[in-house]
Amino acid sequence: MGDKHLFVDISAHGFGHLAQVAPVLNALVERRPQLQITVRSGLPRERLQARLAPRFTHLAGNSDFGYVMHDAVNVDRAATAAAYRRQHTDWPQRVADEAALLDSLRPDLVLADVAYLPLAGAAQLGVPAVAMCSLNWAELFAHFYVRESWAPAIHAQILAAYRSAASFLRLTPAMPMADLPRRRSVGPVATLGTDRRQALRRQLHCGDDEKLLWIGFGGFDRPLPIDRWPVISGYRWLIPQAWACTRADTVAIETLALPIADLMASVDAVLTKPGYGMFTEAACNGTAVIFQRRPDWPEQHCLIDWLQTNARCQEVSPEDLLAGNLADTLADLWLRPAPARPAPSGVQEAVEILLAWLP
């Protein structure tokens, strides 16, 4: 069999791409302990290590940028358009450089979530490549820029790169991806955490009837004026340390020293934006969700539809969120029935598919 080398490219556009890749890689290495892994990502190494169990070589850097964001929910369209036009200036040379990098690393398989440059480079080199995600940048690019005169040539290059992959693992839930004939749908992907709520409640000196709510926006900064929110009796808010909030009903997440999956499994609810990692991990761990929609983000529709079937959830308006008018939202949330937890079946499904490329 021999040791095989897997090159993995993980987008640093938030933390959701890592949340998709990590459980698959962790399960893959359980089956193939000698697998050599190289990870290229702009995420900090410590962030990668917090999710990835196997040893890996880290190449710090980004081969994609996803979308330039004003904040966690608002896209900077002008800056994103400029970034795409820079990315595709002399695209053939960029692909050739990528192929040269891969040639120097000599991987047996390339896995991308969800950058398209490594797919194009692998195709030029003749190395098999697999993409995996709930979205692809070609579909989002068409949504935002289809009417721009400069966009068709760039869209064609993005789409050709995705189509060059041997397979695109379309994670449940996901965008349609009708333009990708080699798409292959698999089940949800999520990490199941250990329920540590009793220990966490003792640590925080919580009452038996006090609920823990985690505010997290998936790797993007979204400071909320929680200092000015009205106090809602019976709730403790777990928030980023950077917010420097001194209210008695808040706790800095970083001080809890819990793995993210265990934190998800130990809180009563998470307040977030639509995002694959937060939604699927909340549902699969039986955690309720309060969410604010993202203006004009096309992926959110399939995510919200899936969440409403698979988790106790409630939408909040941007205005109510900023003002902290959450008492009615929370009351409605707990009146909703809790559905059966979905199983993250896509993890093992993806592993089986990848193993076929790593004989």
Side-chain angles (χ1 to χ4, degrees):
M1 185 183 298
D3 293 353
K4 297 293 184 177
H5 181 195
L6 176 64
F7 177 86
V8 186
D9 189 292
I10 304 175
S11 175
H13 186 257
F15 296 150
H17 300 276
L18 174 59
Q20 292 177 349
V21 171
V24 173
L25 281 190
N26 292 344
L28 180 64
V29 172
E30 287 182 3
R31 299 279 297 276
R32 294 290 297 273
Q34 302 305 314
L35 184 65
Q36 179 187 348
I37 298 175
T38 298
V39 174
R40 176 173 61 190
S41 181
L43 295 173
R45 182 177 180 87
E46 57 271 19
R47 173 65 64 173
L48 297 169
Q49 288 177 319
R51 285 274 193 173
L52 296 174
R55 295 176 60 184
F56 61 90
T57 299
H58 180 208
L59 297 183
N62 292 309
S63 62
D64 73 344
F65 56 87
Y67 276 73
V68 182
M69 307 295 294
H70 288 298
D71 55 32
V73 297
N74 293 290
V75 173
D76 187 332
R77 289 197 181 204
T80 300
Y84 269 111
R85 298 178 82 168
R86 287 193 301 271
Q87 170 93 336
H88 285 264
T89 299
D90 199 3
W91 177 247
Q93 184 59 53
R94 193 177 291 270
V95 174
D97 292 343
E98 182 74 359
L101 170 66
L102 293 173
D103 190 33
S104 71
L105 297 171
R106 306 196 66 79
D108 297 283
L109 178 66
V110 170
L111 174 63
D113 189 328
V114 64
Y116 52 90
L117 178 60
L119 304 176
Q124 187 169 111
L125 188 61
V127 173
V130 174
M132 180 178 76
C133 199
S134 57
L135 58 80
N136 66 81
W137 299 134
E139 202 161 352
L140 267 72
F141 183 88
H143 172 82
F144 285 106
Y145 302 112
V146 67
R147 294 180 180 84
E148 302 292 338
S149 61
W150 51 266
I154 292 177
H155 180 256
Q157 290 170 336
I158 301 173
L159 195 57
Y162 280 126
R163 286 176 171 173
S164 73
S167 185
F168 193 116
L169 305 188
R170 179 179 174 268
L171 307 182
T172 300
M175 297 179 72
M177 305 194 192
D179 287 338
L180 302 180
R182 294 177 180 170
R183 68 190 181 278
R184 183 170 178 178
S185 295
V186 300
V189 166
T191 298
L192 298 180
T194 300
D195 186 341
R196 304 184 187 278
R197 69 185 65 222
Q198 295 306 318
L200 183 56
R201 287 177 175 279
R202 288 194 298 270
Q203 180 182 351
L204 299 179
H205 306 289
C206 290
D208 291 340
D209 58 348
E210 192 169 7
K211 293 188 182 296
L212 302 179
L213 274 74
W214 170 23
I215 302 179
F217 285 90
F220 291 98
D221 193 22
R222 179 77 201 284
L224 295 172
I226 194 168
D227 277 320
R228 300 197 297 273
W229 284 8
V231 173
I232 304 176
S233 178
Y235 290 92
R236 190 80 62 96
W237 302 96
L238 311 184
I239 64 173
Q241 196 166 32
W243 291 8
C245 182
T246 58
R247 281 175 50 147
D249 59 351
T250 65
V251 178
I253 297 166
E254 293 82 352
T255 64
L256 304 177
L258 277 178
I260 292 298
D262 290 0
L263 179 64
M264 181 66 82
S266 303
V267 298
D268 296 287
V270 60
L271 193 162
T272 188
K273 61 177 174 59
Y276 188 94
M278 295 296 276
F279 273 24
T280 61
E281 292 195 345
C284 292
N285 282 286
T287 302
V289 180
I290 302 169
F291 65 90
Q292 179 201 326
R293 288 180 185 262
R294 304 167 68 172
D296 201 22
W297 185 255
E299 184 204 14
Q300 71 179 341
H301 306 299
C302 63
L303 299 179
I304 293 170
D305 288 348
W306 182 86
L307 188 76
Q308 289 173 336
T309 300
N310 290 280
R312 177 184 278 169
C313 63
Q314 188 74 16
E315 183 176 353
V316 63
S317 71
E319 297 76 18
D320 282 343
L321 181 57
L322 284 175
N325 294 331
L326 298 171
D328 290 343
T329 299
L330 289 166
D332 290 342
L333 179 68
W334 307 123
L335 291 175
R336 293 181 175 273
R341 300 183 187 186
S345 57
V347 175
Q348 290 301 327
E349 292 172 21
V351 166
E352 294 297 335
I353 293 169
L354 294 175
L355 284 173
W357 294 101
L358 295 166

